[in-house]
């Protein structure tokens, strides 16, 4: 599986569908509140499951990042919607631009940056080393 190719496909499909210039597109993420099981494809973009977050947790009810629970190293993320939008429509207010890695080894396994809602300043999550991980069992 090549996650970068998957993200490129999402971006290209959206750009073609809406006749938007590909070089003016950005990837945005959203965590829909209390989505439950996914039974149909996303209207725009794609649903992604199986991600974990390290350094904090996702609060379903508040719909934003929160402090980790005691002794919780990795927290399972709910379904994330990934979509491509024109860069001028991107809203980064009250968000943390969270790096996404294929494995917990980070570094060379970087995939993209996910935009996650937060009431805290981004510096808090940067200092905590917050990142989304696709695989917490394997290594690079």
């Amino acid at each position: 599986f090549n996650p970068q190719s998957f993200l490129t496909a999402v971006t290209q499909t959206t750009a073609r569908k809406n006749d938007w210039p590909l070089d003016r597109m950005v990837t945005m993420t959203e965590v829909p509140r209390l989505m439950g099981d996914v039974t149909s494809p996303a209207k725009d973009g794609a649903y992604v499951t199986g991600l974990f977050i390290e350094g904090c947790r996702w609060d379903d009810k508040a719909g934003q990042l929160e402090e980790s629970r005691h002794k919780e190293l990795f927290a399972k993320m709910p379904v994330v919607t990934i979509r491509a939008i024109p860069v001028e429509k991107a809203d980064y207010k009250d968000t943390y631009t969270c790096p996404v890695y294929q494995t917990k080894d980070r570094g060379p396994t970087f995939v993209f940056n996910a935009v996650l809602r937060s009431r805290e300043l981004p510096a808090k999550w940067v200092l905590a080393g917050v990142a989304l991980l696709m695989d917490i069992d394997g290594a690079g």
Side-chain angles (χ1 to χ4, degrees):
F1 175 68
N2 185 335
Q4 287 89 350
S5 295
F6 175 74
L7 294 170
T8 300
V10 168
T11 303
Q12 287 177 338
T13 302
T14 303
R16 287 184 187 133
K17 178 181 167 185
N18 296 293
D19 198 28
W20 291 335
L22 188 59
D23 63 342
R24 299 289 302 152
M25 304 289 290
V26 292
T27 303
M28 293 298 286
T29 54
E30 178 186 357
V31 182
R33 289 192 179 188
L34 306 173
M35 185 157 181
D37 292 334
V38 176
T39 57
S40 61
K43 183 179 175 192
D44 291 316
Y47 295 129
V48 175
T49 62
L51 294 174
F52 295 87
I53 193 161
E54 180 180 21
C56 70
R57 67 182 175 88
W58 184 261
D59 184 329
D60 284 322
K61 290 186 175 131
Q64 64 188 13
L65 296 175
E66 293 291 340
E67 293 276 339
S68 294
R69 291 188 174 99
H70 189 61
K71 296 187 178 185
E72 180 182 58
L73 188 56
F74 304 104
K76 189 157 177 47
M77 280 292 289
V79 174
V80 176
T81 305
I82 298 178
R83 63 175 48 101
I85 62 170
V87 69
E88 57 273 4
K89 292 185 178 181
D91 180 14
Y92 296 98
K93 186 176 186 279
D94 298 325
T95 62
Y96 166 60
T97 302
C98 182
V100 180
Y101 297 97
Q102 289 180 352
T103 69
K104 60 186 174 186
D105 289 344
R106 299 188 179 204
T109 69
F110 176 79
V111 179
F112 79 110
N113 285 313
V115 179
L116 300 174
R117 288 242 155 286
S118 171
R119 70 171 173 239
E120 303 288 344
L121 292 174
K124 174 181 178 130
W125 306 122
V126 171
L127 289 172
V130 172
L132 288 174
L133 307 171
M134 295 180 171
D135 180 17
I136 59 172
D137 296 322

